[in-house]
Amino acid sequence: MQVKKYLVKCLHRLQKGPGYTYKELLVWYCDNTNTHGPKRIICEGPKKKAMWFVLTLLFASIVFWQWGVFIRTYLSWEVSVSLSVGFKTMDFPAVTICNASPFQYSKVKHLLKDLDQLMEAVLERIVAPELPRANATRALNFTLWNHTPLVLIDERNPHHPVVLDLFADNHNVSASGSPAPGRACNAQQCKVAMRLCCLNGTVCTFRNFTSATQAVTEWYILQATNIFSQVPTQELVKMGYSGEQLILACLFGAEPCSYRNFTALFHPDYGNCYIFNWGTAERALPSSNPGVEFGLKLILDLGQEDYVPFLTSTAGARLLLHEQRSYPFVKEEGIYAMSGTETSIGVLVDKLERKGKPYSQCTVNGSDVPIHNLYSDYNTTYSIQVAAALPPGPGPSGRPA
Ligand SMILES: *[C@@H]1O[C@H](CO)[C@@H](O)[C@H](O)[C@H]1NC(C)=O
Ligand SMILES: *[C@@H]1O[C@H](CO)[C@@H](O)[C@H](O)[C@H]1NC(C)=O
Ligand SMILES: *[C@@H]1O[C@H](CO)[C@@H](O)[C@H](O)[C@H]1NC(C)=O
Ligand SMILES: *[C@@H]1O[C@H](CO)[C@@H](O)[C@H](O)[C@H]1NC(C)=O
Ligand SMILES: *[C@@H]1O[C@H](CO)[C@@H](O)[C@H](O)[C@H]1NC(C)=O
Ligand SMILES: *[C@@H]1O[C@H](CO)[C@@H](O)[C@H](O)[C@H]1NC(C)=O
Ligand SMILES: *[C@@H]1O[C@H](CO)[C@@H](O)[C@H](O)[C@H]1NC(C)=O
Ligand SMILES: *[C@@H]1O[C@H](CO)[C@@H](O)[C@H](O)[C@H]1NC(C)=O
């Protein structure tokens, strides 16, 4: 009986459908919906109404919050990383070798004659300033010296540092600051600094050094760089070590090779550098087996007796393993191989591949990054170092993929 009554009631209700006022509509919705909350809010007593209202609001907010989280997660284009460890056939890296000394001294001696004489005199004065100078009047060419001299700064009175010229007693310094004779002070009491003046000589700054050795070395390198920069590159290439001279023997796996398999490149700091397997002309050589027997073996002749004195403090070969067609930043990333020893280098490759758009701002190979490649003469690929300043205007800031 009960069941029948209930069914009739249900039928009535369904037939009736929604009313025409909002309240009726709401009541009809609440009665017919199969979510629990709204129905109870309408139909229960005031206490339960309040309770159901709060509960419904709470859980509805949780649902919307979760939707928000999901949508946000989707739109951030998150990626998953797959990692595989193993050995497989891969490209043998490009190998750049340079001699630590950029030039052969016998071929650049005439360019550095004045500078070397000055350097000897400077060392004499800094190391042993008290000794009587037998050769004080030795004919030194002060053209270079007057351009960027080393000075001693006497700081015994911190409020009035006195600038002293190293050679004040045998030539006249034509610069501001009226340097006093350098006799009163040696490198232990005074600070060595390099004076850098603007062209008209009115504004000068001092590059201060904490150690005299560092000051003298840096001064020499600056002056030598200045001298070499006035010589055309073709001449400089001839003054460096030739490939034939540097690479005595070469073996790749079981295959013999020679200096002809290397690409020559002139590096401003290391002179002639030679790159094996750069991949510019033909495909990169594969490396399918690990181990010394399957790699590149070289015997180098560094010609150490002909190093430019003062210019390098190291004897050895500068080495860099890098990717095909990338410019070798030998000075920044290379390592030294000592002379007179055998050096063996093993390589473990971590290859990282980043997804491009829309996952991140990474580029596939940099060809679409709007930069000027400073090393485009060498057909090198994009890397952060080869990039000149971005042209004005917004552009994607690319990273190598
Ligand atoms: C002085 O200079 C001459 C040549 O210019 C050199 O032969 C001699 O050894 C020098 N003497 C000293 C004490 O340096
Ligand atoms: C000194 O060197 C400069 C260039 O470095 C040269 O022009 C000048 O002739 C030289 N002076 C002497 C006296 O050798
Ligand atoms: C320095 O220059 C002055 C004149 O300006 C001259 O009298 C003096 O002899 C010069 N000193 C040296 C060591 O050349
Ligand atoms: C020298 O050059 C500096 C900057 O290059 C300038 O400020 C100064 O006025 C110049 N002095 C003279 C006398 O030309
Ligand atoms: C070098 O030292 C001098 C004297 O102490 C000082 O006036 C100058 O500012 C210093 N230069 C730098 C770059 O710190
Ligand atoms: C070196 O070059 C020669 C001739 O150009 C070539 O036959 C040889 O395969 C090359 N060797 C290597 C290891 O690439
Ligand atoms: C770089 O990638 C683009 C497309 O991803 C391709 O068209 C282009 O040839 C590639 N350039 C080099 C040098 O590999
Ligand atoms: C750079 O590549 C172009 C074409 O791929 C080629 O013609 C040119 O000789 C290459 N330049 C160098 C320095 O390898």
Side-chain angles (χ1 to χ4, degrees), residues 325 364-365 367 381:
R325 304 190 50 201
V364 178
N365 54 22
S367 56
T381 50

Side-chain angles (χ1 to χ4, degrees), residues 129-151:
E130 305 86 12
L131 287 184
R133 262 175 278 286
N135 281 342
T137 50
R138 180 168 50 178
L140 292 173
N141 186 340
F142 283 104
T143 318
L144 286 168
W145 178 260
N146 287 342
H147 191 246
T148 29
L150 282 172
V151 293

